[in-house]
Amino acid sequence: MVKNIILFAVAIILVPLSVANRHTVSIALNPFDPTDPRLTIPDVPLFWVIFACLGVGIVLGGIGAWAKQGKWRKEARMKRREADKWHKEADQLRELTEGGDPNQPRLPA
């Protein structure tokens, strides 16, 4: 429900932006000679350029956020391993106290 509302709001913004910026532009990839036809992409709709820049920004921002949170993911992995170790030890102690081989030493109740 919330996802649909957000997507609808984004569509309300993006559709008029696309309609208003449909004229074509040429993208020059050579900063020293912008008239060089080998490194120029002609007749690209401006809204494609805008959307591509937004998409690249979102991807780079996501990669940056993921990289920044690496320390916390590493700590969570370590804590999970430690918790698994303690759970395994608790299960072993529970087995010892609940029963098992009567010849084995038992922990006092």
Side-chain angles (χ1 to χ4, degrees):
M1 177 72 177
V2 174
K3 177 183 168 186
N4 291 337
I5 293 171
I6 291 172
L7 288 175
F8 182 71
V10 169
I12 288 175
I13 294 170
L14 292 181
V15 169
L17 181 69
S18 300
V19 171
N21 293 300
R22 23 176 210 191
H23 59 279
T24 59
V25 294
S26 294
I27 300 174
L29 300 174
N30 186 352
F32 302 110
D33 184 14
T35 60
D36 184 9
R38 293 174 295 175
L39 294 175
T40 300
I41 303 171
D43 301 329
V44 178
L46 181 59
F47 70 91
W48 283 10
V49 175
I50 293 170
F51 292 161
C53 290
L54 286 172
V56 168
I58 289 170
V59 168
L60 290 178
I63 290 170
W66 180 82
K68 185 81 172 170
Q69 295 168 356
K71 175 175 73 169
W72 303 113
R73 284 192 309 277
K74 181 179 179 183
E75 184 176 338
R77 278 192 306 271
M78 289 173 37
K79 298 288 183 184
R80 190 178 320 116
R81 283 189 204 117
E82 185 178 348
D84 289 342
K85 180 183 97 172
W86 290 116
H87 283 291
K88 183 178 177 183
E89 186 175 327
D91 290 340
Q92 289 173 348
L93 290 174
R94 192 174 297 117
E95 287 176 8
L96 285 175
T97 59
E98 288 176 352
D101 190 12
N103 298 330
Q104 284 187 338
R106 301 177 81 192
L107 293 175

